[in-house]
Amino acid sequence: MADVLLHFRFSSSPPLRSLPLPELKRNPGKRATASPIDCRPMILLPRLNAHGVASQTEGPKWWERNAGKNMIDVHSTQELLNQLSEAGDRLVIVEFYGIHVLSFPIIVFQFCRTARDHPDILFLKVDFDENKPMCKRLNVRMLPWFHFYRGADGLLESFSCSLPKFQKLKDAIATHNTPRCSIGPPLGVGNIDLIEASMSLEKSAETSSRER
């Protein structure tokens, strides 16, 4: 989301000339007085002309912003499997999000803050619209949806977590981010042949679209 900056320059009209004082009526034997109309104060302000110039500063969109090296955007099934395999016994949290959800900019901000607070955890972000076959196979029911993985234990927990209930994510981190030693290779996403399943779902989607 590009940031817009507004620059204003103010200029005034030419200096105002001094106005003559109200004419006083002089009567013999009486103090000089001015009529109420003549004595009415007049305040004139210089006219200001505002010239606004809008400029845009290019930067990453909200869903492209990451907290650091421990946060990675995943764009395919193979990338997800590679990240889970390379993580070893490290706790991995996968966030499934959608850019069309209005509350997601704030949720992603909280997710990035949590990633900065836990540099030992690997945080992955998956765009649901970009990876629908994979998300459906992983039983992503609603957005946002979170998966917790760890080494040979595979999938530890999965749940939905809205902004008011973001504490649920922090509680799950406290539960699963404990010292442990797993035996055996990482299970990734379990026994699901994710690549083959995703390919079949993609083919079925293409077939249905052609029939229409």
Side-chain angles (χ1 to χ4, degrees), residues 73-86 94 96 124-128 130-138 149 187-190 192-202:
D73 287 281
V74 173
H75 302 285
S76 66
T77 302
Q78 188 61 56
E79 287 186 18
L80 177 61
L81 293 176
N82 291 341
Q83 292 296 335
L84 293 176
S85 178
E86 295 172 2
V94 185
F96 300 91
L124 304 179
K125 291 161 53 187
V126 179
D127 184 355
F128 178 85
E130 187 182 23
N131 302 274
K132 285 184 178 180
M134 176 180 66
C135 293
K136 291 180 179 179
R137 185 62 177 174
L138 291 176
Y149 295 95
L187 291 179
V189 292
I192 299 177
D193 192 347
L194 196 56
I195 295 180
E196 181 179 352
S198 297
M199 292 178 63
S200 62
L201 285 175
E202 290 175 357

Side-chain angles (χ1 to χ4, degrees), residues 159 161-174:
F159 54 84
C161 178
S162 60
L163 185 61
K165 299 180 180 179
F166 200 80
Q167 184 62 37
K168 184 177 181 180
L169 181 73
K170 298 180 180 180
D171 294 340
I173 292 176

Side-chain angles (χ1 to χ4, degrees), residues 92-131:
V92 181
I93 302 177
V94 185
E95 178 197 35
F96 300 91
Y97 69 93
I99 62 176
H100 59 279
V101 182
L102 296 179
S103 61
F104 259 93
I106 303 178
I107 295 177
V108 170
F109 173 78
Q110 293 290 346
F111 194 62
C112 291
R113 175 183 290 181
T114 304
R116 287 192 293 267
D117 295 338
H118 299 84
D120 55 323
I121 300 176
L122 178 60
F123 293 81
L124 304 179
K125 291 161 53 187
V126 179
D127 184 355
F128 178 85
D129 295 325
E130 187 182 23
N131 302 274

